[in-house]
Amino acid sequence: MTSDITYDLIIIGGGPAGYAAAIRAGQLGKKVVCIEMERAGGTCLNWGCIPSKALLKSAESFQAALHSEVFGFSCKEIEVDFEKVMGRSRKVANQMGGGIEFLFKKNKVEYIVGKGLVHAAGMVEITEGEKAGTYLKGSRIMISTGCKPRTLPEIAVDGKRVMTSREALAMTEQPKTIAIMGAGAIGAEFAYFLNAFGTKVTLIEMLPKVLPVEDAEISDALHKSFAEQGIDCRVGTRVDSVEVGENGVSLTLGNDEGSESLEVESLLLAIGVVPNLDGAVSEKLKLDTVKGYLKVDENYETSESGIYATGDIVGPPWLAHIATYRAIQAVNGMFGHSQPVPVDAFPGCTYCQPQVASIGLTEEKAKEEGIEYKVGKFPFAASGKAVAVNHSEGFVKVIVGEKYGEILGAHIIGSDATELITEYGLAMKLEATVDEIHGTIHAHPTMSEALAEAAAAAHGEAIHI
C-alpha cells in the first residue's frame, strides 16, 4: 500500500538527530514524518544519555549521604534498593520520551513507530510495526539511524554475565564484581556508578590513560581520583581472552609486565560504537560510505540526490549535541532557510565524579601542531564556593595562544565541569580572548570564578593562587 501523502521530509530514526530534524522541519511549516523503531528520543534519551545521568545522580546522592558528617550531621544504616535506583532511571527516560512525542504533536510532525527502509530517492517502505507494508513518498529523505554498541564477535551478550551499556541500563541486580572494557566516557561513568554503590570495579583500557581523548593532565587526575575511590584502573592493558561461565567471567589480562587472570561476576563492554544501518537502506541502493558510515557533503546530502544523513550515522564525533546540531543545520539548508554551518569547536563531557569537560585543543595537540601557547590553571581547592560545598577536587585548565591570547582549548575536572564548560565554548564561538574572560565580572562565590581565575593565571595574574 502506498500512502497518498507526499511528504516534504521523511526521517528514519527518532534520536537526537532525527527528532530535532523533524521538529525543525515542522517549525518551518513542512509536511514531515519521523519513523522510529522504539520510542521517540532514540538511544540517547531511552538507553543512553538521560537514564545514565539519572543513575549517576543516585550514586552522587548516596555518596553525599555516606559522607554527610562533613556538613555536621550523619546518615546511618542507609539502605539501597538497587532495583528502585534502576527503575527511577527508566521513569525519567519514559517521561522525556513522552515530552518528545508532545513536541511532535505541537509541531505537526507525524510519528510512526516502526522500521523504515529506503528503496530509492523519494520512497521509503515501513517494514516493521503496525504500518508494515506501507510505502511513503517524499521529496527528501533523511537517514538518522545512529550507532549501536560495539561487541566482540566471540562473546555473546546475554545481559547478565556480558553486557553493553544498553543491557547495563536495564540491570535489576547489582553485580558484586565487574570488569569494564574501555575507559572512555561510557566506561568511566559506569565505573563510578557501580563503585559508588559498592561493586568492586576493574576498569580496563588498552591505551595509556583513562579518557584517552582528554588532556593528559585531566586523565591523570581522574585516574588518581578513581583509585582513591577504590576503582582498579588498568591502563595500557589488553584483554587477551574471555571465558563466560554460568556463575561468572574469567579474563586474561596482558601488558608489558606479563599477564594475569581476573575473575568477575559480569563484564561490561564499553569499547565504542558501530554504524547502525541494518535494514535501513535497500541492497539495490548504493550509498557511498566511509568505514561503514554514510558519506555526506557540506549540505548533509549523501551520494544519492534527495537522500540526506545526519547524526552519528555520518561518523564521529558520536555526541548527542553534535547530532542535534548537524540535524538542524541540514534541515535549515535543505529548505533554504540558511546555509549549513560546519561543526567547529564542541564540548565533550563525562559525568562521573569528578566530572570532566573539555573543548578545543589539548596541550598535547597544541605541541604536536607546533603552536606557541601558554597555560592558565586554577584549582578548585582555592575556590571559596567549592570548599564551602565540599567539592574542592579538580581544576580548570585553559590553553591560550601565546601571541594574541586566543582560547585554543579549555579543560575542566571537578564538580559541575559539564555545566561550566559552556562559558569557554561561547567565548571560543565569539573569538574572545582570555583577557575578556578575565575581564568579565563573575559572581562571588561561584564555581564559575575558577574560569576567570584560570584565564588570569595564563598571564600570571590570578588573585587566589
Side-chain angles (χ1 to χ4, degrees):
M1 180 180 68
T2 301
S3 171
D4 56 3
I5 300 172
T6 299
Y7 295 93
D8 296 308
L9 178 61
I10 302 172
I11 300 170
I12 301 177
Y19 81 68
I23 291 169
R24 181 60 186 140
Q27 290 174 343
L28 294 174
K30 305 303 177 182
K31 184 68 176 175
V32 57
V33 58
C34 183
I35 307 162
E36 166 58 43
M37 285 182 60
E38 295 182 298
R39 187 167 191 183
T43 297
C44 174
L45 191 152
N46 293 291
W47 296 103
C49 317
I50 302 304
S52 65
K53 302 310 161 284
L55 295 181
L56 290 167
K57 183 60 180 178
S58 291
E60 292 168 29
S61 299
F62 178 61
Q63 285 296 309
L66 287 179
H67 299 93
S68 60
E69 66 277 1
V70 73
F71 294 105
F73 59 93
S74 62
C75 300
K76 297 180 179 179
E77 299 180 9
I78 305 170
E79 294 184 4
V80 176
D81 187 328
F82 192 75
E83 191 170 352
K84 282 187 177 180
V85 169
M86 301 302 296
R88 177 180 178 272
S89 76
R90 301 311 317 147
K91 288 179 181 178
V92 169
N94 290 336
Q95 178 181 338
M96 298 307 296
I100 300 300
E101 291 167 4
F102 166 78
L103 291 172
F104 279 170
K105 291 178 181 178
K106 176 184 176 182
N107 291 282
K108 299 180 180 179
V109 173
E110 185 178 342
Y111 170 45
I112 296 176
V113 178
K115 192 169 185 178
L117 172 65
V118 184
H119 280 282
M123 185 63 68
V124 172
E125 178 189 2
I126 307 298
T127 58
E128 294 181 16
E130 291 184 1
K131 295 192 176 182
T134 302
Y135 287 80
L136 306 180
K137 298 179 295 182
S139 54
R140 298 168 185 83
I141 296 169
M142 178 183 288
I143 301 171
S144 299
T145 48
C147 291
K148 56 187 177 182
R150 183 185 297 276
T151 57
L152 298 174
E154 67 275 15
I155 304 174
V157 174
D158 61 12
K160 184 174 178 63
R161 296 294 166 224
V162 181
M163 299 176 281
T164 68
S165 57
R166 173 152 186 156
E167 290 77 27
L169 286 166
M171 287 187 293
T172 55
E173 296 181 8
Q174 180 185 355
K176 291 183 175 61
T177 58
I178 193 168
I180 301 177
M181 283 181 63
I186 292 174
E189 289 179 5
F190 273 106
Y192 169 77
F193 165 67
L194 288 167
N195 177 75
F197 283 114
T199 297
K200 181 174 175 53
V201 177
T202 303
L203 183 61
I204 306 163
E205 174 56 55
M206 285 185 63
L207 295 174
K209 59 182 185 177
V210 298
L211 297 187
V213 302
E214 297 293 348
D215 185 272
E217 204 169 357
I218 297 289
S219 293
D220 290 345
L222 183 64
H223 189 149
K224 181 181 178 181
S225 179
F226 270 11
E228 290 173 351
Q229 293 176 46
I231 299 171
D232 185 4
C233 300
R234 309 287 188 90
V235 296
T237 300
R238 307 179 309 274
V239 176
D240 292 330
S241 68
V242 177
E243 292 186 13
V244 181
E246 184 177 342
N247 299 313
V249 182
S250 300
L251 299 92
T252 302
L253 308 182
N255 55 33
D256 293 341
E257 299 176 359
S259 63
E260 64 174 305
S261 298
L262 177 66
E263 303 287 333
V264 291
E265 281 189 18
S266 299
L267 171 64
L268 172 59
L269 301 176
I271 52 176
V273 296
V274 294
N276 182 27
L277 277 174
D278 298 343
V281 179
S282 169
E283 294 181 359
K284 296 179 180 179
L285 181 61
K286 303 299 182 183
L287 300 179
D288 290 349
T289 59
V290 177
K291 296 182 179 179
Y293 294 94
L294 291 175
K295 184 179 180 180
V296 295
D297 63 15
E298 65 277 6
N299 297 311
Y300 296 95
E301 194 165 21
T302 68
S303 54
E304 183 73 23
S305 179
I307 300 179
Y308 297 77
T310 57
D312 289 357
I313 197 60
V314 304
W318 301 289
L319 299 169
H321 42 286
I322 298 298
T324 297
Y325 178 88
R326 285 169 164 169
I328 293 171
Q329 294 298 316
V331 170
N332 284 341
M334 71 176 66
F335 292 117
H337 181 75
S338 61
Q339 184 66 28
V341 178
V343 173
D344 192 6
F346 57 88
C349 298
T350 305
Y351 297 82
C352 53
Q353 287 295 340
Q355 293 183 359
V356 172
S358 62
I359 188 167
L361 298 182
T362 62
E363 188 172 358
E364 296 74 38
K365 190 66 175 176
K367 288 179 181 177
E368 182 184 315
E369 295 184 5
I371 298 172
E372 294 185 358
Y373 71 92
K374 52 188 175 181
V375 173
K377 282 179 60 180
F378 187 80
F380 284 114
S383 161
K385 175 64 179 294
V387 173
V389 299
N390 199 36
H391 286 306
S392 59
E393 183 178 15
F395 56 88
V396 178
K397 177 179 181 178
V398 58
I399 315 297
V400 181
E402 178 72 43
K403 186 174 182 180
Y404 300 110
E406 73 274 24
I407 300 166
L408 301 173
H411 310 273
I412 309 173
I413 180 168
S415 179
D416 296 329
T418 58
E419 302 289 342
L420 294 171
I421 196 65
T422 300
E423 180 174 334
Y424 272 112
L426 179 61
M428 292 176 73
K429 181 71 173 177
L430 297 176
E431 299 182 348
T433 66
V434 286
D435 297 325
E436 289 164 307
I437 294 287
H438 181 202
T440 298
I441 298 174
H442 290 66
H444 175 78
T446 60
M447 300 290 284
S448 68
E449 288 175 289
L451 305 177
E453 289 275 44
H459 296 313
E461 298 176 6
I463 295 300
H464 294 95
I465 53 172

